[in-house]
Amino acid sequence: LWLGQLLARSGRMDRAGEVLERAAKVAPDEPEVWMALFSYRIGTSDPEGAEKAITKAASLMPEPRRQMALAQAYEMLGRTADAERLLQEAVQGWPEDLDALRNLAAFEARRGRSQEARSLLEKILALDGPDVAVAKTWARRLLTELTATRGTFKDLEKALVMLRENRSADGKAAPEDLELEITLLANRPEPAAWRRAIALLDELVAVRPMSPQQRFLRAQLLEKVGMWDEARSELMTLVAGRTTPPGQVAMLVEKLIDHGELSNARTWLRR
């Protein structure tokens, strides 16, 4: 099984197919084998074969995992009505199953039905027990995103207060929460939001190094809040490498021209 998956990831699709088909014959009662075969057939544009594989996989799974696996597959096959029906069935049959609630909430969010997603997320947050902490952390993230991207700055503020409930006892945020908060703030039109995003990017560095995309975002935010000298320095550091994509160099040149630094712009344009 793992060999077939490895071959598929490396692009050797014909050989991967042979290995996975053989695995299905050797272990016909293992749902993971049929799930891997489903993914392979989806990747090779064989929807009919993919549906046969997922149907076999689902027949070997207990409920409500069966409904959830079929729903995920049907959504990938474009059968969204069938996917929704199965997810609803899973939630109605097992109303406190965290995976069922999460799958349906995520599905509703992807379909743009924020009110339905919000109701399910609030249901997750209302649950108690030793096993709900991870699901609640996930639910707060998605609920924050749904609230912040469709509301006012005041709505964003309220959403971020909820997101900060995910922080540890010593007040530290997970990188995923920091990155979500940064994205939401950076996309706002208010300068106060940009400044907070910059501060959070600096906080993120203490957890793990920023990606090049995050460093570019920081430079853009610095420019927007009037800190051009720092923004220029960050951009020049980022594009100094020989393998820098031309588009990023072009962005630096454009910024230099915007700020009247024509000599600097010409120098970078010749690189």
Side-chain angles (χ1 to χ4, degrees), residues 67-80:
Q67 286 90 336
M68 290 186 279
L70 278 171
Q72 182 181 18
Y74 285 164
E75 187 178 5
M76 293 174 70
L77 290 165
R79 293 172 55 181
T80 53

Side-chain angles (χ1 to χ4, degrees), residues 107-155:
F107 175 85
E108 298 289 18
R110 287 193 298 274
R111 303 298 295 169
R113 298 198 286 251
S114 58
Q115 201 56 46
E116 290 84 348
R118 187 188 307 275
S119 176
L120 290 158
L121 294 168
E122 288 172 349
K123 191 175 292 187
I124 292 172
L125 293 175
L127 293 174
D128 291 316
D131 302 322
V132 301
V134 172
K136 284 187 173 184
T137 296
W138 174 86
R140 288 191 196 99
R141 283 182 191 139
L142 183 52
L143 191 53
T144 296
E145 191 170 1
L146 289 172
T147 302
T149 54
R150 292 168 173 79
T152 64
F153 188 64
K154 189 173 288 187
D155 292 326

Side-chain angles (χ1 to χ4, degrees), residues 36-58:
L37 196 54
F38 165 79
S39 297
Y40 165 78
R41 288 173 176 171
I42 281 285
T44 54
S45 301
D46 178 12
E48 185 177 341
E51 187 166 350
K52 288 179 181 177
I54 194 60
T55 301
K56 177 63 177 178

Side-chain angles (χ1 to χ4, degrees), residues 172-185:
K172 291 183 179 177
E176 295 84 358
D177 289 336
L178 282 176
E179 289 170 346
L180 174 57
E181 191 167 350
I182 288 163
T183 299
L184 295 173
L185 288 166

Side-chain angles (χ1 to χ4, degrees), residues 7-46:
L7 288 165
R9 283 197 292 271
S10 63
R12 298 175 61 187
M13 302 304 285
D14 289 343
R15 178 62 177 145
E18 293 173 9
V19 171
L20 290 170
E21 295 284 0
R22 189 183 313 131
K25 291 177 182 177
V26 172
D29 296 327
E30 291 294 329
E32 287 74 17
V33 172
W34 293 100
M35 290 290 288
L37 196 54
F38 165 79
S39 297
Y40 165 78
R41 288 173 176 171
I42 281 285
T44 54
S45 301
D46 178 12

